[in-house]
Amino acid sequence: MALLKVKFNQKKRVKLAQGLWLMNWFSVFAGILVFSMGLFLKIELRKRSEVMDNSESHFVPNSLILMGILSCAFNGFAGKICYDSLDPAKFAKWKPLLKPYLALCFVFNILIFFVALICFLTRSSLDSTLAQGLKNGMKFYRDTDTPGRCFMKKTIDMLQIEFKCCGNNGYKDWFEIQWISNRYLDFSSKEVKDRIKSNVDGRYLVDGVPFSCCNPSSPRPCIQYQVTNNSAHYSYDYQTEELNLWRRGCREALLNYYSGMMSSMGAVTLLVWLFEMSVMVGLRLLHTSLESIANPEDPECESEGWVLENNLKDTFKSALENLKKLGKFNQVEAGAEGAEGEEGGKTPAITTVS
């Protein structure tokens, strides 16, 4: 028994073709939307590529861009088919291409569904990318005189100001690296010498943070040096001064920003996938209803359309049988080639009479 079997007359076929033509052009605009989302996400990721450890994060925007282009191409072609289906003479040239085209549409819909899922599941990989990238970026913060790294200070400062964050996981991350360049240290000072000597790696570490960690909403001037020394400041307790520095780490801030954006794009892509599926089903019904017309010379006659010629169980069994036949056919061909090789390798026996 056919799946989703529907009876059509001439009027219904025309309405279906016109409706599908309109839906395909809506799908073209949906493809442009998916392409635009991918392009926007790629630009946003490139803005902060210096604080990302690898290029794996660009898989999602690249996939969205590709799906957007394919959606425009597939649906533009389908719109032409639906338009020509109103004229039997024009539709005749598309008949041999419809089955392969529908198979490609099925593969395309699987891919777009996979891309939508990736948008929701990419948070963990993005987390590790940001964690390592920010850690490396903070190490190069002081290298303002080093070619290729001189921009890193500005990048980190703008990032912390824009996203209201500090450090990788928090402001205390700055205590573990030397973020002040040696150029601005007085090595004749006893305090500087003592700090460098007290560190195994010979780094100048302080319990301070860059100015970009300061919260402008703080009621008092920002305390960015000797942050954990309560006695160094009047009426100060670093554990309760929540407004003085940004408490949230930049990894968390960027992760929430990008994962929220990707989740929204995933939801939109999922809606586009549902729309594409409905278009594919409609195109299949149109294809089968036109092919099952009993008398092609009488366009007014009724016909039947279906999505699958048999039910799901029978269709699955038929697909398995075809795969088995294909496997047996390959085995037979391999056996035949082996037999020919053996026959060719035999040499005729020669009897000599003395």
Side-chain angles (χ1 to χ4, degrees):
M1 183 179 177
L3 183 66
L4 289 179
K5 197 172 186 179
V6 183
K7 285 189 176 182
F8 289 91
N9 54 29
Q10 174 67 4
K11 189 176 180 181
K12 284 184 178 180
R13 286 194 294 269
V14 169
K15 283 186 176 180
L16 178 61
Q18 290 173 340
L20 283 172
W21 178 83
L22 189 61
M23 288 176 72
N24 274 296
W25 285 110
F26 275 123
S27 294
V28 169
F29 289 117
I32 294 171
L33 175 63
V34 172
F35 174 85
S36 303
M37 289 191 306
L39 192 62
F40 174 75
L41 181 57
K42 193 170 184 67
I43 292 170
E44 285 295 302
L45 288 170
R46 282 195 176 276
K47 281 182 184 177
R48 300 169 187 93
S49 59
E50 295 89 357
V51 294
M52 293 187 175
D53 185 43
N54 53 45
S55 58
E56 289 179 8
S57 53
H58 288 273
F59 175 75
V60 173
N62 290 341
S63 299
L64 288 171
I65 289 170
L66 178 62
M67 289 300 106
I69 294 171
L70 289 177
S71 178
C72 292
F74 274 103
N75 290 291
F77 183 69
K80 173 65 175 172
I81 293 174
C82 293
Y83 181 79
D84 286 350
S85 66
L86 299 173
D87 184 353
K90 289 181 178 180
F91 181 72
K93 64 181 180 181
W94 298 117
K95 274 188 176 183
L97 298 175
L98 269 174
K99 279 189 177 179
Y101 173 75
L102 285 167
L104 287 174
C105 283
F106 182 72
V107 174
F108 168 71
N109 281 305
I110 291 174
L111 290 176
I112 200 168
F113 180 74
F114 175 73
V115 171
L117 286 182
I118 290 294
C119 289
F120 292 109
L121 301 175
T122 194
R123 184 182 176 92
S124 59
S125 62
L126 189 61
D127 188 11
S128 59
T129 296
L130 286 169
Q132 191 59 41
L134 284 166
K135 186 178 179 181
N136 294 334
M138 289 171 65
K139 284 180 182 177
F140 302 142
Y141 182 87
R142 65 173 180 165
D143 298 339
T144 51
D145 298 325
T146 305
R149 297 178 186 172
C150 55
F151 60 87
M152 191 56 74
K153 179 183 180 298
K154 181 182 177 182
T155 300
I156 296 291
D157 283 333
M158 294 303 295
L159 177 68
Q160 293 187 145
I161 291 170
E162 182 181 352
F163 285 90
K164 300 179 179 180
C165 60
C166 184
N168 191 344
N169 298 307
Y171 68 91
K172 289 186 178 180
D173 291 337
W174 289 107
F175 301 172
E176 300 172 3
I177 63 169
Q178 181 183 338
W179 57 272
I180 300 173
S181 175
N182 289 337
R183 180 182 179 184
Y184 304 106
L185 295 176
D186 181 9
F187 287 96
S188 62
S189 169
K190 185 178 182 301
E191 182 188 349
V192 173
K193 287 180 180 179
D194 290 343
R195 279 193 177 272
I196 292 175
K197 286 179 181 178
S198 64
N199 191 279
V200 177
D201 298 329
R203 295 177 297 172
Y204 182 75
L205 303 181
V206 293
D207 57 341
V209 297
F211 78 97
S212 52
C213 283
C214 295
N215 183 352
S217 301
S218 175
R220 68 184 297 162
C222 182
I223 295 173
Q224 63 180 109
Y225 294 105
Q226 295 185 332
V227 175
T228 58
N229 187 358
N230 292 336
S231 61
H233 313 281
Y234 177 73
S235 184
Y236 174 74
D237 183 358
Y238 80 94
Q239 292 181 334
T240 60
E241 291 284 337
E242 295 182 0
L243 290 176
N244 187 54
L245 302 175
W246 301 118
R247 299 282 169 165
R248 184 172 65 160
C250 289
R251 179 182 61 82
E252 180 188 350
L254 283 173
L255 184 63
N256 290 339
Y257 174 71
Y258 283 120
S259 60
M261 188 188 298
M262 288 184 185
S263 295
S264 300
M265 291 180 178
V268 173
T269 308
L270 206 56
L271 289 174
V272 172
W273 171 75
L274 290 172
F275 196 74
E276 292 282 357
M277 285 294 292
S278 63
V279 170
M280 186 181 71
V281 169
L283 191 60
R284 174 63 176 167
L285 287 171
L286 180 64
H287 168 226
T288 51
S289 66
L290 288 170
E291 276 201 336
S292 62
I293 293 176
N295 184 10
E297 295 180 0
D298 181 17
E300 299 290 335
C301 69
E302 290 189 349
S303 63
E304 291 182 340
W306 56 83
V307 175
L308 294 175
E309 195 169 357
N310 300 311
N311 56 38
L312 286 172
K313 187 178 179 180
D314 293 340
T315 303
F316 184 70
K317 282 183 178 179
S318 176
L320 282 178
E321 286 175 2
N322 289 333
L323 287 173
K324 286 178 182 178
K325 286 178 182 178
L326 184 63
K328 288 179 181 179
F329 179 73
N330 290 334
Q331 287 177 1
V332 168
E333 280 192 339
E337 288 176 2
E340 286 177 3
E342 287 177 3
E343 288 177 2
K346 289 179 181 179
T347 56
I350 300 174
T351 306
T352 59
V353 181
S354 57

